[in-house]
Amino acid sequence: MTTTVANPGLPDGTAPLNRAWPSEGLTRVPYWVFEAADVHAAEQQRVFEGPSWSYLCLEAELPNAGDYRTTFVGKLPVIVVRDRAGEINAFENRCAHRGALIALDNSGSAKSFSCVYHAWSYDLKGNLTGVAFKNGVRGEGGMPASFCMADHGPRKLRVETVGGLVFATLAPEAPPLREYLGEEIVACIERVLAGRTPVVLGRFTQSLPNNWKLYVENVKDSYHASILHTFFTTFGLNRLGMRGGLIIDKSGGHHVSFSAIDRSVENTAEYKSEKLRSEKESYRLADPTLLQGFEEFPDGVTLQILSVFPGFVLQQIQNVIAVRQILPREVDRTDLNWTYLGFAEDTPEQRAIRHKQSNLVGPAGYVSMEDGCVGGFVQRGIAGAADERAVLEMGGASTESQESRTTEASVRGFWKAYRTAMGL
Amino acid sequence: MNDAFAQIAALNARYARCIDDGALADWPSFFAEDCLYKVTTAENYKDSLEAGIIYADSRAMLVDRVSALAEANIYERHAYRHILGSPFIVEDGDGVARAETSFLVVRIMRDGTTDLFASGRYVDVVRFGADGPVLAERVVVCDSSRIDTLLALPL
């Protein structure tokens, strides 16, 4: 059942994808969405260059004028740089002349940028400021008199920040960043990052053998956590008396999953006796200092996974703070860029705790290594099954915020935002 | 050939054989009780960024990692083959030596796929005691900042 779908939300002239979403709606996900080249190509234009905001870097990574990093919006190479006025600018890492990369390093400091191919040069705002041999050599050659540098340049992105996170968009029609995120998501970002100075503790790239959306689904899937990740259960580390919930914004695209110590339960006699028993009977780590954290947040939240559509994650797992940038590489290859964070205000003891607890996360993380391979299990499992579909009925069909995390509501939320962006 | 060189080369050979033969339970015994074992990247190492993909500041934490791999974590069956270079002795002091050793690690998946998984160097502090040499520090500095899929078995 393939029909041509009109794309009412897309700009005029956008070619329709010759594909139809299953009639059941958000409770079904067709597997072609993870496999098809036409879908993959359309995502760059409609999702990443559409009216969404993509994470680029941290403000703290650009402390001084001229500091830059190179990164991506989807597959689009981007330079993000602080200029002499202190503003952060972002523009395509693509020379306006013949398309070569302008900057070749992951990061650095520059007064200006110059393309290695023909030395076309750019200021820190991405304006073309020089063309080698523009007036020719000894009066011969050179650009025509009609050539105007102001008419040429890499595309510039709009940049806004929240909580020290730098986001950018290519779409003039995208709402302001805070409006895009909504108040609840902004508050959850700021509770982790605001009022202190982030420090990068390390950067790692995990190369995932699957479509980028399979990783996004995994991040948003609060149903799988206690089933796939057995580290806490196996070692008897689950805390009793936790409360939790899911926040899903109205677009569906952003979410927060959290759990917190329930103080009202923790003070009861039943809890105290249970807690003692569970610790004695099953606490089996040879070095229990792994989980001896410090109280960083007065709200008792010990886990907060926050995602921003399309490909950003901010995580607080106990005292491990990290951002993850999800970048598509090919239909079935994804780069997951981890940046582990501490804060300038950390004591040496707190910093040591962050390093130890970082064993929980990342490519070798006790509670995250499975997320690196499970997307590949799906990618391989669905080979040859493009017209079959996944079932997302846990917790019904809604995409609402709720206290239960035994639900796929936030996964459905992602598909809601994705279908809007893609016109599917 | 000095003694530190020979002892560290022998230690490395036993270390690689231990992991590659799947005798992971014995892996922590190569380390001192108050050791540091860290897996990081050349870029982080150069920039003095301290976080690790694996970060253990005690032998007991290595014991926990082995237990977690055996009992808790889920990953597809695979094995490594370590190819180690000769140790370069940076400093040979009083009962302690600092050494660097290059490694290549090939990963063999259950379907037979065989890939170069990691290259890099061990940056070690080796302590020589009555029971032979032990690793007081092994910082595994991977040349690439990219890890394919996941890092389960230790490097």
Side-chain angles (χ1 to χ4, degrees), chain A residues 303-382:
Chain A
L303 176 141
Q304 177 186 287
I305 305 294
L306 179 153
S307 72
V308 174
F309 184 85
F312 171 77
V313 180
L314 169 67
Q315 65 148 68
Q316 174 222 333
I317 298 178
Q318 309 212 9
N319 301 117
V320 197
I321 317 290
V323 297
R324 310 179 206 163
Q325 182 191 35
I326 303 163
L327 296 175
R329 279 286 162 263
E330 297 167 37
V331 169
D332 58 357
R333 296 301 295 184
T334 300
D335 276 357
L336 178 61
N337 290 326
W338 294 83
T339 305
Y340 294 3
L341 298 181
F343 297 88
E345 295 81 4
D346 290 347
T347 65
E349 293 75 22
Q350 290 171 337
R351 189 60 62 81
I353 287 167
R354 294 195 199 281
H355 289 324
K356 278 198 202 199
Q357 290 191 349
S358 67
N359 283 290
L360 296 171
V361 306
Y366 287 138
V367 293
S368 72
M369 77 168 74
E370 291 88 3
D371 297 328
C373 60
V374 78
F377 298 165
V378 176
Q379 194 79 43
R380 283 146 63 192
I382 63 176

Side-chain angles (χ1 to χ4, degrees), chain A residues 217-383:
Chain A
E217 279 197 314
N218 175 274
V219 166
K220 290 180 169 277
D221 174 0
S222 50
Y223 170 31
H224 83 284
S226 63
I227 302 168
L228 178 65
H229 308 303
T230 65
F231 177 76
F232 282 103
T233 322
T234 303
F235 287 88
L237 303 172
N238 291 323
R239 282 186 79 139
L240 302 169
M242 300 295 284
R243 63 186 172 85
L246 273 183
I247 300 167
I248 303 167
D249 85 304
K250 65 179 190 301
S251 77
H254 323 312
H255 99 295
V256 174
S257 170
F258 70 94
S259 59
I261 297 161
D262 190 340
R263 310 262 187 223
S264 65
V265 174
E266 206 170 46
N267 289 326
T268 61
E270 292 90 334
Y271 176 82
K272 283 174 181 160
S273 64
E274 278 295 318
K275 183 171 180 246
L276 280 177
R277 191 161 73 236
S278 82
E279 283 186 356
K280 268 190 191 149
E281 285 175 4
S282 52
Y283 204 74
R284 297 196 293 112
L285 282 178
D287 188 342
T289 63
L290 176 73
L291 294 176
Q292 285 169 6
F294 61 97
E295 195 165 314
E296 188 167 5
F297 302 99
D299 56 12
V301 171
T302 57
L303 176 141
Q304 177 186 287
I305 305 294
L306 179 153
S307 72
V308 174
F309 184 85
F312 171 77
V313 180
L314 169 67
Q315 65 148 68
Q316 174 222 333
I317 298 178
Q318 309 212 9
N319 301 117
V320 197
I321 317 290
V323 297
R324 310 179 206 163
Q325 182 191 35
I326 303 163
L327 296 175
R329 279 286 162 263
E330 297 167 37
V331 169
D332 58 357
R333 296 301 295 184
T334 300
D335 276 357
L336 178 61
N337 290 326
W338 294 83
T339 305
Y340 294 3
L341 298 181
F343 297 88
E345 295 81 4
D346 290 347
T347 65
E349 293 75 22
Q350 290 171 337
R351 189 60 62 81
I353 287 167
R354 294 195 199 281
H355 289 324
K356 278 198 202 199
Q357 290 191 349
S358 67
N359 283 290
L360 296 171
V361 306
Y366 287 138
V367 293
S368 72
M369 77 168 74
E370 291 88 3
D371 297 328
C373 60
V374 78
F377 298 165
V378 176
Q379 194 79 43
R380 283 146 63 192
I382 63 176

Side-chain angles (χ1 to χ4, degrees), chain B residues 70-139:
Chain B
E71 296 173 43
N73 289 119
I74 294 161
Y75 49 92
E76 225 169 349
R77 183 160 53 80
H78 64 277
Y80 290 160
R81 178 66 56 197
H82 281 71
I83 306 297
L84 302 186
S86 294
F88 173 77
I89 308 300
V90 179
E91 194 181 319
D92 186 4
D94 186 17
V96 181
R98 293 196 300 123
E100 292 186 6
T101 304
S102 295
F103 64 82
L104 291 179
V105 174
V106 174
R107 184 176 62 184
I108 305 95
M109 301 302 295
R110 75 177 164 96
D111 69 352
T113 304
T114 299
D115 289 314
L116 181 57
F117 178 62
S119 70
R121 60 189 158 132
Y122 295 134
V123 178
D124 295 334
V125 176
V126 182
R127 232 179 260 157
F128 301 96
D131 301 327
V134 290
L135 293 164
E137 273 186 43
R138 170 152 282 182
V139 179

Side-chain angles (χ1 to χ4, degrees), chain A residues 206 230 286-287 335 359 380, chain B residues 55 58 64 72 76 146-147 149:
Chain A
Q206 197 172 357
T230 65
D287 188 342
D335 276 357
N359 283 290
R380 283 146 63 192
Chain B
Y55 189 104
S58 72
D64 287 332
E76 225 169 349
R146 186 178 285 274
I147 295 283
T149 308

Side-chain angles (χ1 to χ4, degrees), chain B residues 8-24 27 30 80-85 103-105 122 135 138 154-155:
Chain B
I8 293 170
L11 171 81
N12 282 341
R14 284 189 285 117
Y15 179 98
R17 184 170 184 267
C18 170
I19 296 172
D20 296 354
D21 281 2
L24 277 194
W27 171 66
F30 288 91
Y80 290 160
R81 178 66 56 197
H82 281 71
I83 306 297
L84 302 186
F103 64 82
L104 291 179
V105 174
Y122 295 134
L135 293 164
R138 170 152 282 182
L155 293 169

Side-chain angles (χ1 to χ4, degrees), chain A residues 22-44:
Chain A
S23 56
E24 292 91 335
L26 297 175
T27 61
R28 295 292 183 277
V29 179
Y31 290 135
W32 48 254
V33 84
F34 304 114
E35 299 180 314
D38 62 327
V39 174
H40 186 68
E43 285 170 349
Q44 180 60 35

Side-chain angles (χ1 to χ4, degrees), chain A residues 28-270:
Chain A
R28 295 292 183 277
V29 179
Y31 290 135
W32 48 254
V33 84
F34 304 114
E35 299 180 314
D38 62 327
V39 174
H40 186 68
E43 285 170 349
Q44 180 60 35
Q45 183 197 2
R46 301 181 189 189
V47 174
F48 294 100
E49 298 182 29
S52 64
W53 286 88
S54 290
Y55 167 80
L56 299 183
C57 68
L58 296 152
E59 277 188 79
E61 292 179 295
L62 309 172
N64 302 310
D67 289 350
Y68 72 89
R69 292 193 68 78
T70 55
T71 183
F72 297 88
V73 169
K75 290 178 158 182
L76 180 87
V78 167
I79 297 173
V80 54
V81 57
R82 191 182 288 277
D83 66 25
R84 278 180 276 281
E87 296 296 313
I88 297 175
N89 307 307
F91 49 90
E92 277 179 289
N93 188 3
R94 174 183 63 82
C95 183
H97 177 214
R98 300 264 288 276
L101 290 172
I102 298 168
L104 301 173
D105 281 325
N106 295 338
S107 64
S109 187
K111 288 192 168 67
S112 62
F113 294 96
S114 178
C115 177
V116 295
Y117 201 172
H118 303 88
W120 285 34
S121 53
Y122 301 89
D123 66 15
L124 301 182
K125 292 180 184 300
N127 298 311
L128 177 63
T129 53
V131 170
F133 305 126
K134 185 162 171 280
N135 300 321
V137 178
R138 291 189 209 101
E140 292 188 32
M143 300 296 278
S146 61
F147 180 79
C148 174
M149 289 202 291
D151 293 341
H152 300 268
R155 283 181 287 172
K156 293 173 182 171
L157 288 80
R158 198 165 114 217
V159 173
E160 290 183 25
T161 65
V162 58
L165 305 169
V166 180
F167 285 85
T169 184
L170 273 149
E173 72 274 24
L177 177 60
R178 281 171 180 267
E179 189 182 311
Y180 176 75
L181 296 171
E183 279 176 23
E184 286 180 299
I185 302 295
V186 169
C188 288
I189 291 174
E190 291 183 334
R191 76 166 271 284
V192 177
L193 296 174
R196 45 189 188 162
T197 314
V199 175
V200 173
L201 302 183
R203 298 185 187 90
F204 306 100
T205 297
Q206 197 172 357
S207 181
L208 303 176
N210 52 264
N211 186 272
W212 67 279
K213 300 186 294 300
L214 287 169
Y215 186 77
V216 176
E217 279 197 314
N218 175 274
V219 166
K220 290 180 169 277
D221 174 0
S222 50
Y223 170 31
H224 83 284
S226 63
I227 302 168
L228 178 65
H229 308 303
T230 65
F231 177 76
F232 282 103
T233 322
T234 303
F235 287 88
L237 303 172
N238 291 323
R239 282 186 79 139
L240 302 169
M242 300 295 284
R243 63 186 172 85
L246 273 183
I247 300 167
I248 303 167
D249 85 304
K250 65 179 190 301
S251 77
H254 323 312
H255 99 295
V256 174
S257 170
F258 70 94
S259 59
I261 297 161
D262 190 340
R263 310 262 187 223
S264 65
V265 174
E266 206 170 46
N267 289 326
T268 61
E270 292 90 334

